[in-house]
PDB file of all heavy atoms in Angstrom:
ATOM      1  N   ASP A  23      99.827 118.434 105.810  1.00 94.00           N
ATOM      2  CA  ASP A  23      99.676 119.755 105.162  1.00 94.00           C
ATOM      3  C   ASP A  23      99.360 119.617 103.668  1.00 94.00           C
ATOM      4  O   ASP A  23      99.937 120.307 102.831  1.00 94.00           O
ATOM      5  CB  ASP A  23     100.923 120.614 105.368  1.00 94.00           C
ATOM      6  CG  ASP A  23     101.089 121.046 106.811  1.00 94.00           C
ATOM      7  OD1 ASP A  23     100.055 121.319 107.464  1.00 94.00           O
ATOM      8  OD2 ASP A  23     102.234 121.123 107.288  1.00 94.00           O
ATOM      9  N   GLU A  24      98.439 118.731 103.352  1.00 96.00           N
ATOM     10  CA  GLU A  24      98.060 118.486 101.965  1.00 96.00           C
ATOM     11  C   GLU A  24      96.628 118.923 101.678  1.00 96.00           C
ATOM     12  O   GLU A  24      95.976 118.381 100.792  1.00 96.00           O
ATOM     13  CB  GLU A  24      98.242 117.003 101.628  1.00 96.00           C
ATOM     14  CG  GLU A  24      99.690 116.561 101.654  1.00 96.00           C
ATOM     15  CD  GLU A  24      99.871 115.110 101.286  1.00 96.00           C
ATOM     16  OE1 GLU A  24      98.865 114.400 101.091  1.00 96.00           O
ATOM     17  OE2 GLU A  24     101.024 114.674 101.219  1.00 96.00           O
ATOM     18  N   MET A  25      96.141 119.902 102.419  1.00 95.00           N
ATOM     19  CA  MET A  25      94.788 120.420 102.208  1.00 95.00           C
ATOM     20  C   MET A  25      94.875 121.777 101.527  1.00 95.00           C
ATOM     21  O   MET A  25      95.792 122.551 101.793  1.00 95.00           O
ATOM     22  CB  MET A  25      94.065 120.612 103.539  1.00 95.00           C
ATOM     23  CG  MET A  25      93.692 119.366 104.253  1.00 95.00           C
ATOM     24  SD  MET A  25      92.821 119.795 105.792  1.00 95.00           S
ATOM     25  CE  MET A  25      91.846 118.332 106.009  1.00 95.00           C
ATOM     26  N   GLY A  26      93.890 122.034 100.686  1.00 95.00           N
ATOM     27  CA  GLY A  26      93.753 123.369 100.140  1.00 95.00           C
ATOM     28  C   GLY A  26      93.269 124.303 101.243  1.00 95.00           C
ATOM     29  O   GLY A  26      92.818 123.867 102.299  1.00 95.00           O
ATOM     30  N   SER A  27      93.346 125.603 100.987  1.00 95.00           N
ATOM     31  CA  SER A  27      92.997 126.568 102.040  1.00 95.00           C
ATOM     32  C   SER A  27      91.528 126.468 102.458  1.00 95.00           C
ATOM     33  O   SER A  27      91.211 126.533 103.650  1.00 95.00           O
ATOM     34  CB  SER A  27      93.331 127.990 101.598  1.00 95.00           C
ATOM     35  OG  SER A  27      92.611 128.332 100.429  1.00 95.00           O
ATOM     36  N   VAL A  28      90.634 126.281 101.514  1.00 96.00           N
ATOM     37  CA  VAL A  28      89.210 126.180 101.846  1.00 96.00           C
ATOM     38  C   VAL A  28      88.936 124.892 102.623  1.00 96.00           C
ATOM     39  O   VAL A  28      88.212 124.896 103.630  1.00 96.00           O
ATOM     40  CB  VAL A  28      88.345 126.239 100.565  1.00 96.00           C
ATOM     41  CG1 VAL A  28      86.891 125.963 100.882  1.00 96.00           C
ATOM     42  CG2 VAL A  28      88.513 127.588  99.873  1.00 96.00           C
ATOM     43  N   GLU A  29      89.529 123.805 102.170  1.00 94.00           N
ATOM     44  CA  GLU A  29      89.350 122.518 102.845  1.00 94.00           C
ATOM     45  C   GLU A  29      89.914 122.592 104.266  1.00 94.00           C
ATOM     46  O   GLU A  29      89.307 122.111 105.215  1.00 94.00           O
ATOM     47  CB  GLU A  29      90.058 121.429 102.035  1.00 94.00           C
ATOM     48  CG  GLU A  29      89.736 120.034 102.444  1.00 94.00           C
ATOM     49  CD  GLU A  29      90.386 119.022 101.521  1.00 94.00           C
ATOM     50  OE1 GLU A  29      91.563 119.224 101.128  1.00 94.00           O
ATOM     51  OE2 GLU A  29      89.723 118.022 101.194  1.00 94.00           O
ATOM     52  N   ARG A  30      91.083 123.215 104.430  1.00 94.00           N
ATOM     53  CA  ARG A  30      91.697 123.355 105.747  1.00 94.00           C
ATOM     54  C   ARG A  30      90.815 124.196 106.669  1.00 94.00           C
ATOM     55  O   ARG A  30      90.588 123.830 107.823  1.00 94.00           O
ATOM     56  CB  ARG A  30      93.080 123.987 105.638  1.00 94.00           C
ATOM     57  CG  ARG A  30      93.736 124.214 107.001  1.00 94.00           C
ATOM     58  CD  ARG A  30      95.154 124.709 106.891  1.00 94.00           C
ATOM     59  NE  ARG A  30      96.119 123.667 106.642  1.00 94.00           N
ATOM     60  CZ  ARG A  30      96.440 122.691 107.488  1.00 94.00           C
ATOM     61  NH1 ARG A  30      95.840 122.615 108.641  1.00 94.00           N
ATOM     62  NH2 ARG A  30      97.342 121.805 107.189  1.00 94.00           N
ATOM     63  N   GLU A  31      90.320 125.312 106.173  1.00 95.00           N
ATOM     64  CA  GLU A  31      89.445 126.164 106.983  1.00 95.00           C
ATOM     65  C   GLU A  31      88.196 125.405 107.423  1.00 95.00           C
ATOM     66  O   GLU A  31      87.769 125.519 108.578  1.00 95.00           O
ATOM     67  CB  GLU A  31      89.050 127.419 106.208  1.00 95.00           C
ATOM     68  CG  GLU A  31      90.148 128.449 106.093  1.00 95.00           C
ATOM     69  CD  GLU A  31      89.725 129.669 105.286  1.00 95.00           C
ATOM     70  OE1 GLU A  31      88.517 129.979 105.250  1.00 95.00           O
ATOM     71  OE2 GLU A  31      90.610 130.294 104.689  1.00 95.00           O
ATOM     72  N   SER A  32      87.617 124.650 106.512  1.00 94.00           N
ATOM     73  CA  SER A  32      86.413 123.870 106.855  1.00 94.00           C
ATOM     74  C   SER A  32      86.725 122.816 107.908  1.00 94.00           C
ATOM     75  O   SER A  32      85.974 122.634 108.868  1.00 94.00           O
ATOM     76  CB  SER A  32      85.848 123.197 105.606  1.00 94.00           C
ATOM     77  OG  SER A  32      85.454 124.157 104.672  1.00 94.00           O
ATOM     78  N   PHE A  33      87.835 122.125 107.730  1.00 94.00           N
ATOM     79  CA  PHE A  33      88.208 121.084 108.688  1.00 94.00           C
ATOM     80  C   PHE A  33      88.530 121.697 110.049  1.00 94.00           C
ATOM     81  O   PHE A  33      88.143 121.156 111.093  1.00 94.00           O
ATOM     82  CB  PHE A  33      89.396 120.269 108.171  1.00 94.00           C
ATOM     83  CG  PHE A  33      89.721 119.086 109.031  1.00 94.00           C
ATOM     84  CD1 PHE A  33      88.825 118.038 109.173  1.00 94.00           C
ATOM     85  CD2 PHE A  33      90.929 119.014 109.703  1.00 94.00           C
ATOM     86  CE1 PHE A  33      89.115 116.938 109.971  1.00 94.00           C
ATOM     87  CE2 PHE A  33      91.231 117.924 110.504  1.00 94.00           C
ATOM     88  CZ  PHE A  33      90.323 116.891 110.639  1.00 94.00           C
ATOM     89  N   GLU A  34      89.220 122.828 110.064  1.00 94.00           N
ATOM     90  CA  GLU A  34      89.530 123.496 111.330  1.00 94.00           C
ATOM     91  C   GLU A  34      88.260 123.956 112.032  1.00 94.00           C
ATOM     92  O   GLU A  34      88.195 123.960 113.263  1.00 94.00           O
ATOM     93  CB  GLU A  34      90.499 124.658 111.101  1.00 94.00           C
ATOM     94  CG  GLU A  34      91.902 124.161 110.795  1.00 94.00           C
ATOM     95  CD  GLU A  34      92.874 125.259 110.427  1.00 94.00           C
ATOM     96  OE1 GLU A  34      92.442 126.406 110.152  1.00 94.00           O
ATOM     97  OE2 GLU A  34      94.082 124.974 110.400  1.00 94.00           O
ATOM     98  N   GLU A  35      87.248 124.319 111.273  1.00 95.00           N
ATOM     99  CA  GLU A  35      85.955 124.686 111.870  1.00 95.00           C
ATOM    100  C   GLU A  35      85.324 123.474 112.561  1.00 95.00           C
ATOM    101  O   GLU A  35      84.749 123.585 113.644  1.00 95.00           O
ATOM    102  CB  GLU A  35      85.016 125.257 110.805  1.00 95.00           C
ATOM    103  CG  GLU A  35      83.684 125.726 111.333  1.00 95.00           C
ATOM    104  CD  GLU A  35      83.781 126.921 112.261  1.00 95.00           C
ATOM    105  OE1 GLU A  35      84.742 127.700 112.142  1.00 95.00           O
ATOM    106  OE2 GLU A  35      82.891 127.071 113.125  1.00 95.00           O
ATOM    107  N   VAL A  36      85.440 122.312 111.940  1.00 94.00           N
ATOM    108  CA  VAL A  36      84.941 121.079 112.566  1.00 94.00           C
ATOM    109  C   VAL A  36      85.719 120.807 113.851  1.00 94.00           C
ATOM    110  O   VAL A  36      85.137 120.436 114.875  1.00 94.00           O
ATOM    111  CB  VAL A  36      85.069 119.883 111.587  1.00 94.00           C
ATOM    112  CG1 VAL A  36      84.784 118.571 112.293  1.00 94.00           C
ATOM    113  CG2 VAL A  36      84.148 120.066 110.401  1.00 94.00           C
ATOM    114  N   LEU A  37      87.029 121.020 113.810  1.00 95.00           N
ATOM    115  CA  LEU A  37      87.864 120.765 114.985  1.00 95.00           C
ATOM    116  C   LEU A  37      87.500 121.668 116.163  1.00 95.00           C
ATOM    117  O   LEU A  37      87.631 121.266 117.318  1.00 95.00           O
ATOM    118  CB  LEU A  37      89.351 120.942 114.640  1.00 95.00           C
ATOM    119  CG  LEU A  37      89.939 119.958 113.637  1.00 95.00           C
ATOM    120  CD1 LEU A  37      91.409 120.263 113.397  1.00 95.00           C
ATOM    121  CD2 LEU A  37      89.744 118.523 114.069  1.00 95.00           C
ATOM    122  N   VAL A  38      87.027 122.868 115.866  1.00 96.00           N
ATOM    123  CA  VAL A  38      86.617 123.791 116.925  1.00 96.00           C
ATOM    124  C   VAL A  38      85.474 123.200 117.741  1.00 96.00           C
ATOM    125  O   VAL A  38      85.408 123.378 118.959  1.00 96.00           O
ATOM    126  CB  VAL A  38      86.206 125.164 116.325  1.00 96.00           C
ATOM    127  CG1 VAL A  38      85.480 126.026 117.336  1.00 96.00           C
ATOM    128  CG2 VAL A  38      87.425 125.885 115.778  1.00 96.00           C
ATOM    129  N   HIS A  39      84.613 122.455 117.089  1.00 95.00           N
ATOM    130  CA  HIS A  39      83.402 121.949 117.739  1.00 95.00           C
ATOM    131  C   HIS A  39      83.499 120.506 118.223  1.00 95.00           C
ATOM    132  O   HIS A  39      82.574 120.022 118.871  1.00 95.00           O
ATOM    133  CB  HIS A  39      82.203 122.100 116.792  1.00 95.00           C
ATOM    134  CG  HIS A  39      81.933 123.529 116.437  1.00 95.00           C
ATOM    135  ND1 HIS A  39      81.388 124.421 117.324  1.00 95.00           N
ATOM    136  CD2 HIS A  39      82.182 124.222 115.300  1.00 95.00           C
ATOM    137  CE1 HIS A  39      81.277 125.605 116.747  1.00 95.00           C
ATOM    138  NE2 HIS A  39      81.757 125.507 115.519  1.00 95.00           N
ATOM    139  N   ASP A  40      84.567 119.815 117.906  1.00 93.00           N
ATOM    140  CA  ASP A  40      84.699 118.412 118.306  1.00 93.00           C
ATOM    141  C   ASP A  40      86.016 118.235 119.064  1.00 93.00           C
ATOM    142  O   ASP A  40      87.085 118.107 118.454  1.00 93.00           O
ATOM    143  CB  ASP A  40      84.652 117.503 117.078  1.00 93.00           C
ATOM    144  CG  ASP A  40      84.581 116.024 117.427  1.00 93.00           C
ATOM    145  OD1 ASP A  40      85.156 115.625 118.461  1.00 93.00           O
ATOM    146  OD2 ASP A  40      83.966 115.270 116.657  1.00 93.00           O
ATOM    147  N   ASP A  41      85.939 118.233 120.382  1.00 92.00           N
ATOM    148  CA  ASP A  41      87.135 118.163 121.220  1.00 92.00           C
ATOM    149  C   ASP A  41      87.958 116.909 120.959  1.00 92.00           C
ATOM    150  O   ASP A  41      89.187 116.967 120.877  1.00 92.00           O
ATOM    151  CB  ASP A  41      86.761 118.219 122.707  1.00 92.00           C
ATOM    152  CG  ASP A  41      86.138 119.535 123.113  1.00 92.00           C
ATOM    153  OD1 ASP A  41      86.320 120.538 122.383  1.00 92.00           O
ATOM    154  OD2 ASP A  41      85.457 119.573 124.155  1.00 92.00           O
ATOM    155  N   ASP A  42      87.296 115.769 120.858  1.00 92.00           N
ATOM    156  CA  ASP A  42      88.018 114.507 120.653  1.00 92.00           C
ATOM    157  C   ASP A  42      88.716 114.477 119.303  1.00 92.00           C
ATOM    158  O   ASP A  42      89.873 114.055 119.209  1.00 92.00           O
ATOM    159  CB  ASP A  42      87.068 113.314 120.767  1.00 92.00           C
ATOM    160  CG  ASP A  42      86.599 113.079 122.194  1.00 92.00           C
ATOM    161  OD1 ASP A  42      87.272 113.546 123.136  1.00 92.00           O
ATOM    162  OD2 ASP A  42      85.553 112.431 122.371  1.00 92.00           O
ATOM    163  N   LEU A  43      88.040 114.919 118.279  1.00 93.00           N
ATOM    164  CA  LEU A  43      88.637 114.934 116.945  1.00 93.00           C
ATOM    165  C   LEU A  43      89.808 115.914 116.903  1.00 93.00           C
ATOM    166  O   LEU A  43      90.853 115.627 116.317  1.00 93.00           O
ATOM    167  CB  LEU A  43      87.587 115.297 115.888  1.00 93.00           C
ATOM    168  CG  LEU A  43      88.039 115.210 114.439  1.00 93.00           C
ATOM    169  CD1 LEU A  43      88.505 113.808 114.092  1.00 93.00           C
ATOM    170  CD2 LEU A  43      86.897 115.621 113.520  1.00 93.00           C
ATOM    171  N   ARG A  44      89.642 117.056 117.555  1.00 94.00           N
ATOM    172  CA  ARG A  44      90.714 118.045 117.603  1.00 94.00           C
ATOM    173  C   ARG A  44      91.934 117.469 118.316  1.00 94.00           C
ATOM    174  O   ARG A  44      93.067 117.587 117.843  1.00 94.00           O
ATOM    175  CB  ARG A  44      90.248 119.319 118.315  1.00 94.00           C
ATOM    176  CG  ARG A  44      91.307 120.400 118.385  1.00 94.00           C
ATOM    177  CD  ARG A  44      90.828 121.678 119.041  1.00 94.00           C
ATOM    178  NE  ARG A  44      90.367 121.465 120.408  1.00 94.00           N
ATOM    179  CZ  ARG A  44      89.097 121.551 120.797  1.00 94.00           C
ATOM    180  NH1 ARG A  44      88.148 121.876 119.942  1.00 94.00           N
ATOM    181  NH2 ARG A  44      88.761 121.336 122.044  1.00 94.00           N
ATOM    182  N   GLU A  45      91.699 116.795 119.434  1.00 94.00           N
ATOM    183  CA  GLU A  45      92.806 116.193 120.178  1.00 94.00           C
ATOM    184  C   GLU A  45      93.498 115.120 119.344  1.00 94.00           C
ATOM    185  O   GLU A  45      94.731 115.035 119.323  1.00 94.00           O
ATOM    186  CB  GLU A  45      92.297 115.603 121.493  1.00 94.00           C
ATOM    187  CG  GLU A  45      93.403 115.172 122.417  1.00 94.00           C
ATOM    188  CD  GLU A  45      92.903 114.783 123.796  1.00 94.00           C
ATOM    189  OE1 GLU A  45      91.734 115.030 124.117  1.00 94.00           O
ATOM    190  OE2 GLU A  45      93.711 114.221 124.550  1.00 94.00           O
ATOM    191  N   LEU A  46      92.729 114.317 118.643  1.00 93.00           N
ATOM    192  CA  LEU A  46      93.305 113.287 117.774  1.00 93.00           C
ATOM    193  C   LEU A  46      94.131 113.914 116.663  1.00 93.00           C
ATOM    194  O   LEU A  46      95.264 113.497 116.403  1.00 93.00           O
ATOM    195  CB  LEU A  46      92.194 112.416 117.179  1.00 93.00           C
ATOM    196  CG  LEU A  46      92.645 111.327 116.210  1.00 93.00           C
ATOM    197  CD1 LEU A  46      93.596 110.357 116.884  1.00 93.00           C
ATOM    198  CD2 LEU A  46      91.437 110.599 115.644  1.00 93.00           C
ATOM    199  N   ALA A  47      93.598 114.934 116.006  1.00 95.00           N
ATOM    200  CA  ALA A  47      94.299 115.575 114.887  1.00 95.00           C
ATOM    201  C   ALA A  47      95.612 116.209 115.350  1.00 95.00           C
ATOM    202  O   ALA A  47      96.656 116.040 114.707  1.00 95.00           O
ATOM    203  CB  ALA A  47      93.395 116.620 114.235  1.00 95.00           C
ATOM    204  N   PHE A  48      95.570 116.918 116.468  1.00 95.00           N
ATOM    205  CA  PHE A  48      96.786 117.579 116.934  1.00 95.00           C
ATOM    206  C   PHE A  48      97.781 116.584 117.526  1.00 95.00           C
ATOM    207  O   PHE A  48      98.994 116.778 117.408  1.00 95.00           O
ATOM    208  CB  PHE A  48      96.458 118.714 117.896  1.00 95.00           C
ATOM    209  CG  PHE A  48      95.924 119.923 117.187  1.00 95.00           C
ATOM    210  CD1 PHE A  48      94.575 120.234 117.247  1.00 95.00           C
ATOM    211  CD2 PHE A  48      96.740 120.728 116.416  1.00 95.00           C
ATOM    212  CE1 PHE A  48      94.071 121.338 116.578  1.00 95.00           C
ATOM    213  CE2 PHE A  48      96.246 121.834 115.736  1.00 95.00           C
ATOM    214  CZ  PHE A  48      94.904 122.133 115.820  1.00 95.00           C
ATOM    215  N   SER A  49      97.305 115.500 118.107  1.00 94.00           N
ATOM    216  CA  SER A  49      98.204 114.444 118.581  1.00 94.00           C
ATOM    217  C   SER A  49      98.891 113.765 117.408  1.00 94.00           C
ATOM    218  O   SER A  49     100.086 113.459 117.464  1.00 94.00           O
ATOM    219  CB  SER A  49      97.439 113.406 119.394  1.00 94.00           C
ATOM    220  OG  SER A  49      96.992 113.954 120.597  1.00 94.00           O
ATOM    221  N   ALA A  50      98.145 113.528 116.345  1.00 94.00           N
ATOM    222  CA  ALA A  50      98.732 112.926 115.141  1.00 94.00           C
ATOM    223  C   ALA A  50      99.785 113.854 114.543  1.00 94.00           C
ATOM    224  O   ALA A  50     100.852 113.413 114.113  1.00 94.00           O
ATOM    225  CB  ALA A  50      97.642 112.623 114.116  1.00 94.00           C
ATOM    226  N   LYS A  51      99.496 115.143 114.528  1.00 94.00           N
ATOM    227  CA  LYS A  51     100.441 116.117 113.981  1.00 94.00           C
ATOM    228  C   LYS A  51     101.720 116.145 114.824  1.00 94.00           C
ATOM    229  O   LYS A  51     102.829 116.165 114.290  1.00 94.00           O
ATOM    230  CB  LYS A  51      99.791 117.499 113.934  1.00 94.00           C
ATOM    231  CG  LYS A  51     100.524 118.479 113.090  1.00 94.00           C
ATOM    232  CD  LYS A  51      99.669 119.698 112.824  1.00 94.00           C
ATOM    233  CE  LYS A  51     100.200 120.368 111.583  1.00 94.00           C
ATOM    234  NZ  LYS A  51      99.258 121.039 110.796  1.00 94.00           N
ATOM    235  N   GLU A  52     101.569 116.115 116.139  1.00 95.00           N
ATOM    236  CA  GLU A  52     102.731 116.107 117.030  1.00 95.00           C
ATOM    237  C   GLU A  52     103.517 114.803 116.887  1.00 95.00           C
ATOM    238  O   GLU A  52     104.745 114.804 116.880  1.00 95.00           O
ATOM    239  CB  GLU A  52     102.285 116.301 118.481  1.00 95.00           C
ATOM    240  CG  GLU A  52     103.416 116.520 119.443  1.00 95.00           C
ATOM    241  CD  GLU A  52     104.250 117.756 119.145  1.00 95.00           C
ATOM    242  OE1 GLU A  52     103.723 118.749 118.615  1.00 95.00           O
ATOM    243  OE2 GLU A  52     105.463 117.734 119.454  1.00 95.00           O
TER     244      GLU A  52
END
Side-chain angles (χ1 to χ4, degrees):
D23 291 323
E24 294 182 355
M25 290 181 154
S27 60
V28 173
E29 192 175 41
R30 177 174 279 294
E31 285 179 27
S32 298
F33 187 65
E34 287 174 347
E35 183 66 26
V36 170
L37 295 180
V38 167
H39 298 287
D40 188 327
D41 295 340
D42 289 339
L43 186 59
R44 181 178 59 250
E45 190 171 349
L46 178 60
F48 285 105
S49 292
K51 195 167 202 149
E52 189 61 31

